[in-house]
Amino acid sequence: MRDINQSEDIMGIGQQDVFQPYVTEDGWTVVTPGAESGRRQAQGKKVYAWSQVEVQLHSKEDLDVCIAHLKESDRRFELNSRNPWDWSIASYKGNTVRFGVEWYDKDFFEERKEAYLNPKHTVMYSHFGATVNDFAVVHYLTKEDGTIVSKA
């Protein structure tokens, strides 16, 4: 029973859209929308490069922790439009997590594209039982709309 002293937003005014995970035709469960949520377009950003990342995890528990990290990071990107990079869709299948990194600045991409090898990142990976060896990363140069042109 609803508390009559509690207000109810029956018209949905002021309610943020809440992302709902979904399964793609090839069986990947999408857990965050990343820049594809529309924030890239809303911020007028153009993609310079894109990195495809896959992480092979060792257990369901590790998978859950990794996804929680990605969700929190995606939430923070929604709050800060000044970043020269952003996540693209994050998804999982079995114990494999897949996501992308959109890069909006050439110099920043060249400087930071291997940041996943940084010791600060590797410490974070230990929270979900992974090491650098569990990552596969491929970098691509793109057209402004994100269409892949070539490997970087």
Side-chain angles (χ1 to χ4, degrees), residues 62-87:
D62 291 340
L63 175 73
D64 291 343
V65 173
C66 180
I67 289 171
H69 276 268
L70 287 168
K71 285 181 176 181
E72 175 57 20
S73 184
D74 193 66
R75 185 192 67 77
R76 287 192 313 266
F77 271 109
E78 286 181 323
L79 302 174
N80 183 1
S81 63
R82 295 182 312 264
N83 290 316
W85 65 285
D86 199 349
W87 298 125

Side-chain angles (χ1 to χ4, degrees), residues 2-17:
R2 188 173 83 77
D3 179 354
I4 61 171
N5 295 318
Q6 181 181 9
S7 64
E8 183 175 355
D9 185 6
I10 61 173
M11 295 184 69
I13 298 169
Q15 300 272 339
Q16 286 186 312
D17 290 335

Side-chain angles (χ1 to χ4, degrees), residues 32-36 40 50-51 74 86-90 99-102:
T32 66
E36 286 90 345
R40 176 192 334 111
W50 185 73
S51 300
D74 193 66
D86 199 349
W87 298 125
S88 66
I89 288 173
F99 60 93
V101 180
E102 293 188 355

Side-chain angles (χ1 to χ4, degrees), residues 32-48:
T32 66
E36 286 90 345
S37 67
R39 63 182 177 237
R40 176 192 334 111
Q41 294 85 351
Q43 297 163 3
K45 294 186 175 181
K46 305 294 182 197
V47 181
Y48 169 77

Side-chain angles (χ1 to χ4, degrees), residues 90-147:
S91 58
Y92 73 92
K93 186 179 198 180
N95 285 339
T96 303
V97 173
R98 178 189 290 170
F99 60 93
V101 180
E102 293 188 355
W103 304 89
Y104 307 126
D105 179 271
K106 177 182 179 181
D107 293 334
F108 189 78
F109 168 70
E110 294 299 336
E111 177 185 321
R112 301 285 305 198
K113 67 183 178 184
E114 303 300 331
Y116 75 99
L117 299 172
N118 182 297
K120 289 181 181 178
H121 279 88
T122 59
V123 168
M124 180 185 55
Y125 306 153
S126 68
H127 296 159
F128 45 88
T131 70
V132 170
N133 296 328
D134 297 312
F135 282 72
V137 179
V138 181
H139 304 291
Y140 300 94
L141 298 179
T142 66
K143 295 180 184 178
E144 286 186 350
D145 66 357
T147 305

